[in-house]
Amino acid sequence: YEFFNHLSLGIDASYLFGSMNQKTILQNTTSYLSTNTNTTFNAFYFNYGLQYYTKPNRNWSFGLGATFANKTELNPNYSVIILAIDSSQLYNKPQAPINYLLPVNYTVGLSLTKNRKYTIVADYKYQGWSALNYSGFNYALQDSRRYSVGFEISKKRSSYNTLYETSYFQAG
């Protein structure tokens, strides 16, 4: 939504859901155990954004944007079933919830366009995985950073006071 001249604000609301099943088998020459872990998730996820754009003169346009999503808990339900070799249940109970989170993430980007034909873009995205303190045997999550650049040449045609893109080339 454009609140001010050349400034737009927005929100992306999502409902996330799904399940994860994991099976672990422990076996030696005399015994066998199968552990089945089932986790279901659901949560609302919000991503906020803003965009500033301007046309400083007749030939150039400029855009600057950013998005932000806060840390989000996935509200898990967690159960474990342990089976013996004959498939009899040795254990089957819901477990105390484990904290599953999505990290804080943000993105910033800019674009510069000349004559509505040539566009150069650059983006930076950050995801703060290390702050979640997830780790296991010989691993731990690390932050993610991505830098992107791109270029576009666009061929446009005007008809009935409307501008149509007829072809384009992109690289990045």
Coordinates of all heavy atoms in Angstrom, one line a residue, residues 124-130 142-146:
Y124 N 20.9 -8.2 -1.0 CA 21.6 -8.8 0.1 C 20.6 -9.5 1.0 O 19.6 -8.8 1.4 CB 22.5 -7.8 1.0 CG 23.0 -8.4 2.2 CD1 24.1 -9.3 2.2 CD2 22.4 -8.1 3.5 CE1 24.6 -9.9 3.4 CE2 22.9 -8.7 4.6 CZ 24.0 -9.5 4.6 OH 24.5 -10.1 5.7
K125 N 20.8 -10.8 1.4 CA 19.8 -11.5 2.2 C 20.6 -12.1 3.4 O 21.6 -12.7 3.2 CB 19.1 -12.6 1.5 CG 18.0 -13.3 2.4 CD 17.1 -14.2 1.6 CE 16.1 -14.7 2.5 NZ 15.0 -15.4 1.8
Y126 N 20.0 -12.0 4.6 CA 20.6 -12.5 5.8 C 19.6 -13.4 6.5 O 18.4 -13.0 6.7 CB 21.1 -11.4 6.7 CG 21.5 -11.9 8.1 CD1 22.7 -12.4 8.4 CD2 20.6 -11.8 9.2 CE1 23.1 -12.8 9.6 CE2 20.9 -12.2 10.4 CZ 22.1 -12.8 10.6 OH 22.5 -13.2 11.9
Q127 N 20.0 -14.5 7.0 CA 19.2 -15.4 7.9 C 20.0 -15.8 9.1 O 21.1 -16.3 9.0 CB 18.7 -16.7 7.1 CG 17.8 -16.4 6.0 CD 17.5 -17.6 5.2 OE1 18.3 -18.5 4.9 NE2 16.2 -17.8 4.9
G128 N 19.5 -15.5 10.3 CA 20.2 -15.7 11.6 C 20.0 -17.0 12.2 O 19.5 -17.1 13.3
W129 N 20.5 -18.1 11.5 CA 20.3 -19.5 12.0 C 21.1 -19.7 13.3 O 20.7 -20.5 14.1 CB 20.8 -20.5 10.9 CG 19.8 -20.5 9.8 CD1 20.0 -19.9 8.6 CD2 18.5 -21.1 9.7 NE1 18.9 -20.1 7.8 CE2 18.0 -20.9 8.5 CE3 17.8 -21.9 10.6 CZ2 16.8 -21.4 8.1 CZ3 16.6 -22.4 10.2 CH2 16.1 -22.1 9.0
S130 N 22.3 -19.2 13.5 CA 23.2 -19.5 14.6 C 22.5 -19.1 15.9 O 22.7 -19.7 17.0 CB 24.5 -18.8 14.5 OG 24.4 -17.4 14.5
Q142 N 24.8 -22.3 11.1 CA 25.5 -21.1 10.9 C 24.6 -20.1 10.1 O 23.7 -20.5 9.4 CB 26.8 -21.3 10.1 CG 27.8 -22.1 10.9 CD 29.1 -22.2 10.2 OE1 29.3 -21.6 9.1 NE2 30.0 -23.0 10.7
D143 N 24.8 -18.8 10.3 CA 24.1 -17.8 9.6 C 24.3 -17.9 8.1 O 25.3 -18.4 7.6 CB 24.5 -16.4 10.0 CG 24.2 -16.1 11.5 OD1 23.4 -16.9 12.1 OD2 24.8 -15.2 12.1
S144 N 23.2 -17.5 7.4 CA 23.3 -17.5 5.9 C 23.3 -16.1 5.4 O 22.5 -15.2 5.8 CB 22.0 -18.3 5.4 OG 21.9 -18.1 4.0
R145 N 24.2 -15.8 4.5 CA 24.3 -14.5 3.8 C 24.4 -14.8 2.3 O 25.1 -15.6 1.8 CB 25.5 -13.8 4.3 CG 25.5 -13.4 5.7 CD 26.8 -12.8 6.2 NE 26.8 -12.3 7.5 CZ 26.9 -13.1 8.6 NH1 27.1 -14.4 8.4 NH2 26.8 -12.6 9.8
R146 N 23.6 -14.0 1.5 CA 23.6 -14.1 0.1 C 23.7 -12.8 -0.5 O 22.9 -11.9 -0.2 CB 22.4 -14.8 -0.4 CG 22.4 -15.1 -1.9 CD 21.1 -15.6 -2.4 NE 20.1 -14.5 -2.4 CZ 18.8 -14.7 -2.4 NH1 18.3 -15.9 -2.4 NH2 18.0 -13.6 -2.4

